[in-house]
Amino acid sequence: MALLRTKKESKSTVNTEELTRKIRKTPMFRKHIPMEAGIGWPIPLQKEGKLYVILPCFGFHNTNEKGKTALFPPFATITIDWSKQEPVAYHNLRKNSPATELTWDEQTGFFPHEAVAKMTIGEYKQKRSELLAMYDEMFQILEASGEFSSEWVARFSSLLRTLMEPQLEVYYRVLAPTFFERFLVD
């Protein structure tokens, strides 16, 4: 039985948004990741005919400025086998940095960033849910070895560009250069 699904759930009923909540209940997450950590934008990985989802975990904390949250770079990733909905790998980015020229343990900026600062909480949540639903579509297309339409890519890229924290972009690009080169465009 998959760790991220109940017995009644089929593979298709666990979506990306649920995955980002349910991962917190797994032994791997609880062992390595503080419960107050944020879970960043999923990164698909195709390897040896299988689809995996890499979830970057980042730090944040409230500041003395009302409405501002301090952001820290991803400090770890957890990789999920998408078909089994099970965590299969943990990677500590501070101990094994994929880019030693970057600082992985100091504050990098603030949330909300300019592109979302004027949105209401409801507007932000709606756009976030829409993007995560598009990740579901992406994973289905990747599992089926399908192709993305140009319209789909344009909408996904627009949402990702709007919601991606600019201060964290360089870290995402290090974690998955090909993916973000294709989908995180200006």
Side-chain angles (χ1 to χ4, degrees):
M1 179 177 73
L3 295 174
L4 302 176
R5 285 194 300 259
T6 65
K7 288 181 181 178
K8 293 180 182 178
E9 291 175 315
S10 70
K11 178 173 75 171
S12 63
T13 64
V14 175
N15 61 37
T16 309
E17 194 161 8
E18 288 176 297
L19 176 70
T20 62
R21 285 191 305 271
K22 290 183 175 187
I23 187 67
R24 293 179 180 280
K25 297 176 183 173
T26 65
M28 185 181 292
F29 190 96
R30 288 180 176 204
K31 178 179 178 183
H32 298 290
I33 309 295
M35 291 308 284
E36 65 273 10
I39 297 176
W41 299 113
I43 302 168
L45 171 67
Q46 291 180 295
K47 186 176 180 180
E48 299 172 0
K50 293 186 84 173
L51 178 61
Y52 298 91
V53 179
I54 300 170
L55 298 176
C57 301
F58 64 93
F60 66 93
H61 65 76
N62 291 330
T63 65
N64 291 333
E65 279 187 72
K66 184 179 179 180
K68 279 201 168 187
T69 301
L71 290 179
F72 294 81
F75 59 86
T77 62
I78 291 190
T79 303
I80 308 296
D81 178 323
W82 182 252
S83 68
K84 295 180 181 177
Q85 294 286 306
E86 293 180 343
V88 294
Y90 163 80
H91 184 82
N92 184 327
L93 299 171
R94 291 182 180 162
K95 288 186 179 175
N96 299 301
S97 169
T100 55
E101 70 277 9
L102 294 176
T103 304
W104 293 82
D105 58 358
E106 294 178 9
Q107 181 181 336
T108 187
F110 294 95
F111 179 85
H113 56 278
E114 187 177 330
V116 301
K118 292 190 168 102
M119 289 181 191
T120 66
I121 292 172
E123 290 168 333
Y124 177 83
K125 285 181 176 182
Q126 184 275 327
K127 287 195 181 299
R128 181 181 179 278
S129 289
E130 183 180 352
L131 179 58
L132 291 173
M134 290 191 82
Y135 268 104
D136 295 338
E137 293 172 17
M138 174 182 281
F139 299 147
Q140 289 172 359
I141 291 167
L142 291 172
E143 281 185 313
S145 300
E147 296 290 324
F148 301 102
S149 71
S150 58
E151 296 82 14
W152 188 93
V153 170
R155 181 63 184 152
F156 181 87
S157 295
S158 174
L159 284 168
L160 187 59
R161 170 54 63 206
T162 299
L163 297 175
M164 170 68 70
E165 298 81 0
Q167 308 91 337
L168 298 180
E169 181 177 336
V170 66
Y171 298 94
Y172 279 95
R173 289 190 181 278
V174 165
L175 293 173
T178 304
F179 176 77
F180 288 106
E181 183 178 310
R182 179 173 184 193
F183 292 106
L184 191 58
V185 295
D186 292 323

